[in-house]
Amino acid sequence: MATNGALEQGRESFAGQDWKAAHRGLSAARNQAPLDGTDLLRLAIAAYLLGFDTESRDNLERAYHRQMAVGRFPEAVRAAFWLVLELALGGDVARAQGWMANARRLLPHCRPDCAEQMLMLIPEALFQLDSDPGSALVASTTALKAGERLGDAELLALGILGRSQALIRLGRIAEALPLIDEAMLVVTRDPVCPIAVGIVYCAAISECQDVFDLRRAREWTEALGDWCDHQPDLVPYRGQCMVHRAQLMRLRGELDRAAAEAARAADWLARPRHPALGMAHYEMGELERIRGDAAQAERHYGRAHGFGVSPQPGLGLLRLDQDRPREAAPALERALAEASADTDRARLLPASGEALLAVGRLARATELARELAGISHYFGSVQLQAEALLLQGRILLAQMHPEQALALLSRAREQWSSLGLPLEVARTRLPMSEACRLLGDAEGARMELDAARASLRELGAAAALGRAAKSREAGPVPGPGAPPDTATQTVGFGPISPRETEVLRLVATGMTNRQMAQTLFLSEKTVARHLSNIYTKIGVENRAAATAYAYDRGIAGRAGAGRAADGGNHGVH
């Protein structure tokens, strides 16, 4: 085996995390004499961290066979383990599973209490994560307990990470997030293979973004950046994580930095093509849309779609920027119909609600606002809570309830500000300006609009700045005491139709469903459906509360109840 100066230099550079020098020294030593399995593993890790994936896998295979040849079966299993992870994370699942089977055949030759016996539970959990999270939870928990018992930091860190990911898939988010912090603590405190460190960092960022925990995502992204900066020649870890960094930069309003990072990610992921390449192009589309280059945005959204990533909600928002809401609304609704996971729906709901408002579909927008509020509560996400408040505020504004709208919009702005998201703060100031105008507060309207425009100009957000330029300056507002529009009584988060108003008036008289059906020439089933819709829209649960609501709002006792109310049209609805 090699024992020359190049080998010693390669080992020392590896220990110092100088991956380029380690790769150079170990490669030179291998050219002079065969390396043992441990040095081949070092060479494979250095190659991987420099982005030489094929070379890394070749050396892992050599390490596996070299350890086998000298009867070091646990070390052979560990080499196979890293090979399985590299293949799986690169999308080559079939080869990964084949190597996992190879490694399992060696386990009878290992001590029953060795870490390698448990190590293969990690990729097993990874393969089960989305299809059977319960089994993934069991496998990961077994691995982390073994890691604690055996003092194996890699087994412990990856076991904790796997458990947290499985809990998220099972909806046990409050249990999962502290485990992510714990896994990060292990890899920053204990000696762990740098590949494991990178895996934990990237998974932590991805999972936190998926559950809209922006604080944790930002914290671990910054930590990943520091970790990379302290290692010469480390390829940023890796393309998909670069996309996540670009996303966070965009949210912080660092649009130029985000564009550069997204372009780097797309370049990295294209050689060879990685499953996350579509994510990079989608992010580039988002940045071009925000910066006002519609043609480039549309090109990137198209490429994202070609690589298997939905162009929504970005493409829908682009259509809204182009004053084409009748194209945006149905496209976003179709995307929602295809989305089942709460995380996917939460990304689509704000844009879809905005598009529906733009085409006057308030009732449907209200349904989406309620769903978004429910998901935000489920995740406990400040980011989603702010989105829900913004959409609800816009709905109230469309219903001509500016005072209620302003209260919700102000809360949304405060939450965006607490998260450090200047673009979202500016976006929320625009409907706030309109609410102030409708309330007769001309000065407040101008101040909100001016603040929004100044921020958007500074950020370089040309698309939103274009919308702001179209916003009305403080002008004429409805006079005090202006009568409500009796064609549609707007209450809560949904408009009560004229027919529902008649049903509510009759409920207040004490009529039964049968009596109302006879009075309005409807079936009892139709009356019951109207009552159900009314309860949902005004936020009550029974007839007594609906009656009180009708009297509070002045709906009960008005003239025109009954058949005359709908102009003599007594057909069954």
Side-chain angles (χ1 to χ4, degrees):
M1 296 297 173
T3 57
N4 52 41
L7 179 59
E8 292 306 316
Q9 179 265 320
R11 289 171 175 172
E12 290 176 9
S13 297
F14 186 92
Q17 297 186 322
D18 186 343
W19 308 121
K20 184 175 284 187
H23 182 265
R24 183 170 56 247
L26 292 167
S27 296
R30 186 192 59 189
N31 291 336
Q32 296 173 22
L35 297 179
D36 66 16
T38 301
D39 286 321
L40 281 169
L41 179 59
R42 291 189 180 106
L43 181 56
I45 291 170
Y48 181 79
L49 297 173
L50 291 171
F52 306 142
D53 290 359
T54 301
E55 180 187 339
S56 175
R57 293 167 190 172
D58 288 345
N59 281 310
L60 284 171
E61 289 190 28
R62 291 190 185 101
Y64 170 84
H65 290 298
R66 190 64 49 79
Q67 302 288 25
M68 282 269 293
V70 296
R72 300 180 67 185
F73 298 112
E75 289 80 359
V77 170
R78 196 169 285 266
F81 166 76
W82 291 118
L83 182 54
V84 168
L85 282 191
E86 282 194 25
L87 290 167
L89 294 173
D92 196 345
V93 176
R95 282 188 66 201
Q97 290 178 330
W99 272 99
M100 191 161 73
N102 282 346
R104 286 195 177 284
R105 280 198 289 271
L106 298 184
L107 294 179
H109 301 287
C110 302
R111 295 192 321 272
D113 62 339
C114 72
E116 285 73 21
Q117 288 282 356
M118 295 292 105
L119 205 54
M120 298 312 294
L121 290 172
I122 300 298
E124 178 181 312
L126 178 64
F127 292 137
Q128 293 174 326
L129 191 57
D130 292 318
S131 61
D132 188 359
S135 295
L137 179 63
V138 172
S140 298
T141 303
T142 303
L144 79 85
K145 288 180 178 178
E148 288 176 333
R149 186 176 68 254
L150 300 169
D152 188 293
E154 290 165 1
L155 184 56
L156 176 60
L158 294 172
I160 294 171
L161 175 66
R163 178 173 169 81
S164 71
Q165 291 176 306
L167 287 170
I168 286 172
R169 302 304 187 279
L170 291 168
R172 294 159 61 180
I173 296 164
E175 294 177 62
L177 293 176
L179 286 173
I180 289 178
D181 298 340
E182 187 180 347
M184 294 301 307
L185 179 62
V186 173
V187 298
T188 55
R189 179 194 63 199
D190 299 333
V192 176
C193 172
I195 295 178
V197 178
I199 288 172
V200 172
Y201 268 123
C202 289
I205 294 166
S206 180
E207 296 297 339
C208 290
Q209 286 197 322
D210 280 348
V211 299
F212 303 93
D213 189 330
L214 192 58
R215 180 190 63 79
R216 276 188 170 91
R218 177 182 293 161
E219 180 179 335
W220 295 126
T221 299
E222 291 172 354
L224 173 60
D226 292 341
W227 183 69
C228 292
D229 290 343
H230 285 86
Q231 299 174 77
D233 305 311
L234 178 71
V235 174
Y237 220 99
R238 287 267 204 186
Q240 187 168 343
C241 295
M242 292 161 71
V243 176
H244 291 313
R245 286 204 296 273
Q247 291 168 340
L248 289 169
M249 290 174 185
R250 167 172 55 82
L251 289 171
R252 290 198 300 260
E254 300 168 4
L255 301 184
D256 290 340
R257 285 187 64 205
E261 190 74 358
R264 289 175 62 210
D267 183 61
W268 168 258
L269 293 165
R271 299 178 297 159
R273 183 180 296 178
H274 187 277
L277 181 58
M279 290 173 53
H281 279 287
Y282 178 84
E283 185 58 27
M284 293 168 78
E286 285 289 85
L287 287 157
E288 296 298 351
R289 174 182 64 79
I290 292 168
R291 298 198 296 182
D293 191 335
Q296 285 295 328
E298 193 151 354
R299 183 175 74 86
H300 284 299
Y301 289 139
R303 297 200 70 186
H305 181 68
F307 292 131
V309 172
S310 170
Q312 301 295 356
L315 186 58
L317 291 170
L318 178 62
R319 296 292 177 247
L320 290 176
D321 291 338
Q322 296 171 324
D323 292 323
R324 296 158 64 182
R326 295 193 181 280
E327 295 176 48
L332 286 163
E333 282 279 76
R334 183 175 66 83
L336 263 179
E338 295 171 356
S340 57
D342 283 343
T343 52
D344 295 331
R345 294 187 66 80
R347 291 187 178 91
L348 292 163
L349 288 166
S352 189
E354 185 178 352
L356 290 165
L357 281 176
V359 297
R361 294 182 58 194
L362 270 66
R364 175 61 177 156
T366 299
E367 291 177 20
L368 300 191
R370 288 199 184 98
E371 182 181 356
L372 182 58
I375 294 174
S376 74
H377 179 73
Y378 172 73
F379 283 125
S381 165
V382 176
Q383 182 183 358
L384 288 185
Q385 289 168 12
E387 287 284 15
L389 289 168
L390 176 55
L391 180 54
Q392 291 167 353
R394 282 175 165 158
I395 291 169
L396 287 166
L397 199 56
Q399 295 175 335
M400 297 300 289
H401 295 302
E403 188 171 0
Q404 297 172 47
L406 190 58
L408 297 186
L409 293 168
S410 296
R411 286 172 55 198
R413 181 186 62 184
E414 290 169 5
Q415 292 184 340
W416 292 131
S417 182
S418 73
L419 293 170
L421 306 182
L423 187 58
E424 305 308 318
V425 170
R427 187 164 65 101
T428 305
R429 287 187 184 274
L430 297 178
M432 288 180 68
S433 173
E434 177 66 7
C436 289
R437 190 191 72 82
L438 291 173
L439 289 168
D441 181 4
E443 184 176 14
R446 278 193 297 270
M447 289 178 68
E448 292 293 349
L449 189 55
D450 288 347
R453 288 173 175 171
S455 180
L456 294 170
R457 192 175 295 110
E458 181 181 352
L459 293 169
L465 188 59
R467 285 207 205 184
K470 299 172 188 176
S471 297
R472 288 181 287 186
E473 300 284 355
V477 298
D485 178 3
T486 56
T488 302
Q489 295 286 337
T490 57
V491 292
F493 283 122
I496 295 181
S497 69
R499 174 62 83 188
E500 289 167 347
T501 300
E502 294 308 316
V503 171
L504 186 55
R505 286 174 184 156
L506 295 179
V507 166
T509 68
M511 283 190 180
T512 64
N513 283 14
R514 176 172 294 183
Q515 289 169 329
M516 287 190 288
Q518 292 171 347
T519 300
L520 297 174
F521 292 92
L522 300 174
S523 69
E524 287 188 58
K525 184 176 180 180
T526 300
V527 169
R529 189 179 73 245
H530 282 317
L531 271 176
S532 177
N533 291 340
I534 291 166
Y535 290 168
T536 298
K537 289 180 179 181
I538 68 177
V540 301
E541 297 181 357
N542 53 49
R543 299 169 79 92
T547 298
Y549 185 95
Y551 277 103
D552 288 344
R553 299 303 191 278
I555 295 172
R558 284 184 185 158
R563 284 179 287 178
D566 66 346
N569 178 10
H570 309 308
V572 176
H573 289 201

